[in-house]
Amino acid sequence: MQFGNKIAILSGDFLLANACNGLALLQNTKVVELLASALMDLIQGVYHENSTSKESYITDDIGISTWKEQTFLSHGALLAKSCQAAMELAKHDAKVQDMAFQYGKHMAMSHKINSDVQPFIKEKTSDSMTFNLNSAPVVLHQEFLGRDLWIKQIGEAQEKGRLDYAKLRERIKAGKGVTSAIDLCRYHGNKALEALESFPPSEARSALENIVFAVTRFS
């Protein structure tokens, strides 16, 4: 395990060095600054995700606004700032760059929420299938339910110190969290489509729109 960890870290360093070399070759200081800040956001977001305890089953006491801030760091910043950087390289003005940033941000948020919702809407879900207790549907469920009742539900779903995810999943599905998460996914999808309206019609724009349609379709 120690050897594997060391190799994994070295591999990550190697890939990051190659990415930095590619950035330097672009010879654009604003793009370097944008993607450096995106990497900083990404590391901060992932660090927060990995720092939460997974053994006690006690989730963070956060609302959906805080969840969105944390999720942007870990899942949205890289795509948003990469889209902005692409417009900078194409020598577009600040307004176009901002629209590209907004598309990347909302597209990433929509994709993340879609992923979070899947364990609750799949027709064939294994009883042993786990899900993130800090995912969007769970955070929204906790927000509607109240912290005390949520902790009580977690306690009722535990058997011999182990969490029965199937039982807890049914409790969450019975509430408003899943439907609210789907609505939130579509909200961010619509925001991404709004950002694309500032670009002229083209095959590229249609392809980007199709990506949004794919992650906001629940059927």
Side-chain angles (χ1 to χ4, degrees):
M1 285 297 295
Q2 289 179 353
F3 176 77
N5 286 338
K6 290 178 181 178
I7 293 298
I9 292 170
L10 286 172
S11 298
D13 290 342
F14 174 76
L15 292 171
L16 183 58
N18 274 328
C20 291
N21 182 59
L23 275 177
L25 292 174
L26 293 174
Q27 297 183 345
N28 187 308
T29 54
K30 183 176 180 180
V31 170
V32 172
E33 181 184 351
L34 276 171
L35 294 190
S37 66
L39 286 173
M40 183 173 67
D41 292 339
L42 174 63
I43 292 169
Q44 182 181 341
V46 172
Y47 176 81
H48 175 80
E49 285 185 355
N50 292 336
S51 66
T52 56
S53 172
K54 297 179 181 179
E55 298 300 326
S56 64
Y57 304 119
I58 302 301
T59 58
D60 291 344
D61 186 10
I62 61 172
I64 195 63
S65 58
T66 302
W67 180 89
K68 289 168 74 172
E69 291 173 4
Q70 295 174 352
T71 300
F72 172 74
L73 292 176
S74 59
H75 292 83
L78 185 58
L79 182 59
K81 293 180 179 181
S82 293
C83 290
Q84 182 181 352
M87 296 299 99
E88 163 66 22
L89 287 171
K91 302 187 184 305
H92 286 291
D93 60 27
K95 182 179 179 181
V96 173
Q97 290 182 34
D98 182 61
M99 288 298 99
F101 176 92
Q102 294 301 322
Y103 171 79
K105 171 187 173 181
H106 290 292
M107 176 61 227
M109 295 295 290
S110 185
H111 181 267
K112 177 62 170 68
I113 298 169
N114 179 290
S115 177
D116 284 357
V117 167
Q118 291 306 311
F120 301 94
I121 63 173
K122 285 183 177 178
E123 292 183 4
K124 295 181 179 180
T125 303
S126 171
D127 289 343
S128 60
M129 182 180 179
T130 62
F131 51 87
N132 191 334
L133 294 179
N134 285 314
S135 62
V138 181
V139 170
L140 285 164
H141 176 73
Q142 179 184 170
E143 200 169 67
F144 284 120
L145 198 64
R147 180 68 174 175
D148 292 339
L149 285 175
W150 168 239
I151 295 299
K152 182 181 179 182
Q153 279 193 353
I154 291 180
E156 291 172 348
Q158 290 190 55
E159 295 181 5
K160 298 179 180 180
R162 299 187 65 180
L163 186 61
D164 185 341
Y165 280 93
K167 186 175 182 180
L168 187 60
R169 183 186 297 111
E170 293 306 313
R171 292 289 185 90
I172 294 170
K173 288 170 67 175
K176 300 179 181 178
V178 177
T179 55
S180 296
I182 291 173
D183 290 341
L184 186 61
C185 177
R186 288 173 174 155
Y187 165 80
H188 284 289
N190 288 333
K191 285 292 185 181
L193 293 174
E194 285 179 19
L196 286 176
E197 289 177 0
S198 61
F199 296 91
S202 65
E203 288 186 13
R205 173 176 149 176
S206 295
L208 294 174
E209 289 171 341
N210 287 336
I211 297 173
V212 177
F213 296 147
V215 300
T216 55
R217 187 181 299 117
F218 296 90
S219 58

